[in-house]
Amino acid sequence: MALFAKGLTLAIAAMAAVGVSAVSAEAASCGKNAAGFEAWKAEFAQEAAANGVGSKGLAALAKTSYATKTISVDRAVHKAFSGSVDAFMKRRGGATIISKGRQLKKQNAALFASIEKKYGVPAGPLLAIWGMETGFGAAMGNQNTVSAIVTLAYDCRRPAFFTPHAIAALELVDAGVLSSSSVGAAHGEMGHTQFLPGNALKYGVGNRNLRDKSTALASTANFLRAHGYSGGPASANRGAIAGWNSASVYQQAIIIMADAIDGN
């Protein structure tokens, strides 16, 4: 998802999106390595509680560990979105996503028709995102979700962006959507289309079980509609695609693949 989002305005918007007050508690100080993580967790627990996190969420926070792999992936994230659109699509298997996306559109015609009727988002962008993010559910990640997102909230590189998502993850534990053992991608993304916790909390539909493909695809459509998707091809809705991921090369790839899948 939108791992490139940065800056004060976006950080405040992220807090508002997940219902977290920027002034409800003094923010815990960040860190640059594992040394201060446990002490920070004690501070962050107070911040989380002040923002409404309950006993289950706080217990999950207490069980978290510093996610070294998450930090390693985060430091290389810009490289992953570098280069031309053609190079990016080759690295990410764009031709395969288009081919399999067309097959899955036919195989799941009723599901996509139902989603489009309810949310106004056609199959193409949903399949392009699904294929890009997890290879259509084949690789949803094996990193501990709560530890990953809490580590990013602690890390000094982008705490303002990740703190509301960390609190949202703990709220999802309270709600029974996540547990302290739930796994996902390295930045705490969840499910078939890789929702960050704050977005799962706000835009997830039904029981928010994003490891269920129907729920994940409907939730993705709900997100895109909320970010301005107004029907028609992805190429006419780049602003909504940008809400999903702010990297230009990603947006262009999704639009190319989505329009190809939908035959536009």
Side-chain angles (χ1 to χ4, degrees), residues 31-32 49 68 76 78 82-83 87 116 118 142 181 197 207 217 221 239 241 250:
K32 296 182 179 180
T68 303
H78 285 275
S82 64
E116 184 170 9
K118 185 169 184 179
N142 59 7
S181 60
N207 62 6
L217 292 168
I241 304 299
Y250 182 105

Side-chain angles (χ1 to χ4, degrees), residues 13-192:
M15 291 179 181
V18 299
V20 175
S21 169
V23 296
S24 60
E26 184 177 352
S29 55
C30 67
K32 296 182 179 180
N33 53 51
F37 185 64
E38 292 300 321
W40 174 88
K41 278 166 52 177
E43 296 179 43
F44 187 61
Q46 297 178 31
E47 184 177 348
N51 280 286
V53 174
S55 58
K56 291 182 180 179
L58 294 175
L61 172 62
K63 294 178 181 178
T64 58
S65 57
Y66 184 79
T68 303
K69 183 172 182 179
T70 287
I71 295 300
S72 177
V73 171
D74 185 64
R75 297 300 184 263
V77 71
H78 285 275
K79 188 180 296 184
F81 292 93
S82 64
S84 68
V85 177
D86 286 345
F88 178 74
M89 287 186 65
K90 286 179 181 177
R91 289 200 307 270
R92 302 297 286 265
T96 299
I97 291 172
I98 292 169
S99 176
K100 188 166 183 179
R102 287 170 173 165
Q103 294 175 14
L104 288 170
K105 181 181 177 180
K106 292 178 181 178
Q107 293 168 7
N108 298 273
L111 171 62
F112 286 112
S114 175
I115 291 174
E116 184 170 9
K117 182 178 180 180
K118 185 169 184 179
Y119 299 102
V121 180
L126 302 178
L127 284 157
I129 289 171
W130 187 18
M132 178 74 80
E133 295 289 349
T134 66
F136 304 105
M140 289 189 274
N142 59 7
Q143 300 302 300
N144 184 279
T145 298
V146 182
S147 287
I149 199 70
V150 167
T151 296
L152 290 166
Y154 161 72
D155 185 61
C156 284
R157 196 163 87 84
R158 288 183 290 172
F161 179 75
F162 284 110
T163 292
H165 288 294
I167 290 175
L170 301 181
E171 291 182 288
L172 290 170
V173 173
D174 282 332
V177 177
L178 290 176
S179 73
S180 58
S181 60
S182 293
V183 296
H187 283 84
E189 308 100 324
M190 305 159 52
H192 281 268

